[in-house]
Amino acid sequence: MFDFGGLFGISKRDISNDIKEYDPKVQSDYDKRFVSEITEWLSSVIEKINDDGVYALAVSYQLGGDENDEWGPDFSFAYNTEQYFERMKSNPGLQARWNFINWKEEYIGGLDNAAVKRWLAGNNWTFDEYADEDTIEDLAYDILVLAVTELHKSSVIKNHFGKELPVVIHGMEYYDKTAVMSVKANGAGLLDKEFFDICGCNVPEIK
């Protein structure tokens, strides 16, 4: 896998070549099933959104604790509306349009933890923060990219909202990896310069 690099505070990177080289893949039948489960989950939560003015969706992967305080992978969904953005943008420096931290608090819910446990068990992973973290993270992001790509192919988003919307794929922070994954899953046309700025990237040249 190529080096995404580029945390906050360094010069903006050109990610055009990174996007071309990034080839998300699954490795097992359990991964394929998990892609389907993620896609079905995203489809179901999107269909529950009744707000007007939705302009962006987001799905995240990060480490967290479940109801039993067990540490492991957590997948969650969020979205934002133009109306909520108008309320938030008066706060200087928040970069509210694309920063999920400032998005609506009405999260529809995360992925069923049972699906995550089936995926881990199928790949013979007994989650260990040190031994498995990087392997699981890389594959989890690939799976999210494939699931969001499938959402667009099946027109789930367009059918519900009347137009295509981007689904940002992210972790705890936005950086150039966020932009690479999000462009791969959505195409560059659904994401604006402000999004790439917050990810620390130039707007990519995609032919």
Side-chain angles (χ1 to χ4, degrees), residues 163-184:
K163 61 181 178 180
E164 291 289 5
L165 297 175
V167 184
V168 176
I169 299 170
H170 67 86
M172 289 292 290
E173 297 179 327
Y174 283 8
Y175 55 112
D176 55 354
K177 179 176 181 177
T178 310
V180 171
M181 294 186 299
S182 298
V183 171
K184 199 72 176 185

Side-chain angles (χ1 to χ4, degrees), residues 30-31 33-38 40-41 73 75 110-123:
Y30 294 99
D31 298 336
R33 177 181 177 182
F34 198 45
V35 171
S36 296
E37 290 178 319
I38 293 279
E40 291 172 5
W41 162 59
F75 297 83
L111 178 66
D112 182 0
N113 197 44
V116 179
K117 289 183 176 180
R118 284 195 302 270
W119 173 55
L120 294 177
N123 285 308

Side-chain angles (χ1 to χ4, degrees), residues 101-173:
I101 293 173
N102 307 303
W103 282 14
K104 286 173 62 67
E105 296 180 356
E106 290 86 344
Y107 292 89
I108 298 179
L111 178 66
D112 182 0
N113 197 44
V116 179
K117 289 183 176 180
R118 284 195 302 270
W119 173 55
L120 294 177
N123 285 308
N124 295 316
W125 289 323
T126 302
F127 183 81
D128 181 281
E129 183 180 357
Y130 302 101
D132 300 328
E133 181 177 343
D134 291 341
T135 300
I136 294 172
E137 179 179 285
D138 286 345
L139 186 52
Y141 282 137
D142 284 358
I143 286 171
L144 290 180
V145 171
L146 293 171
V148 171
T149 300
E150 185 58 34
L151 283 182
H152 286 296
K153 287 181 179 179
S154 60
S155 299
V156 168
I157 297 170
K158 185 175 182 179
N159 289 341
H160 186 73
F161 296 106
K163 61 181 178 180
E164 291 289 5
L165 297 175
V167 184
V168 176
I169 299 170
H170 67 86
M172 289 292 290
E173 297 179 327

Side-chain angles (χ1 to χ4, degrees), residues 8 58 83 100 115 131 155 169:
F8 289 112
Q83 295 88 336
F100 68 94
S155 299
I169 299 170

Side-chain angles (χ1 to χ4, degrees), residues 23-36:
D23 184 21
K25 294 179 179 178
V26 293
Q27 301 176 14
S28 71
D29 288 339
Y30 294 99
D31 298 336
K32 294 177 183 177
R33 177 181 177 182
F34 198 45
V35 171
S36 296

Side-chain angles (χ1 to χ4, degrees), residues 59-119:
V59 59
S60 68
Y61 166 81
Q62 52 192 296
L63 300 180
D66 63 13
E67 64 276 8
N68 298 316
D69 292 325
E70 294 181 7
W71 191 248
D74 179 68
F75 297 83
S76 61
F77 175 89
Y79 68 98
N80 206 17
T81 67
E82 295 290 358
Q83 295 88 336
Y84 197 79
F85 166 61
E86 287 297 320
R87 289 171 53 191
M88 293 299 293
K89 73 178 185 179
S90 61
N91 298 306
L94 284 183
Q95 297 175 301
R97 186 167 187 82
W98 290 107
N99 192 339
F100 68 94
I101 293 173
N102 307 303
W103 282 14
K104 286 173 62 67
E105 296 180 356
E106 290 86 344
Y107 292 89
I108 298 179
L111 178 66
D112 182 0
N113 197 44
V116 179
K117 289 183 176 180
R118 284 195 302 270
W119 173 55

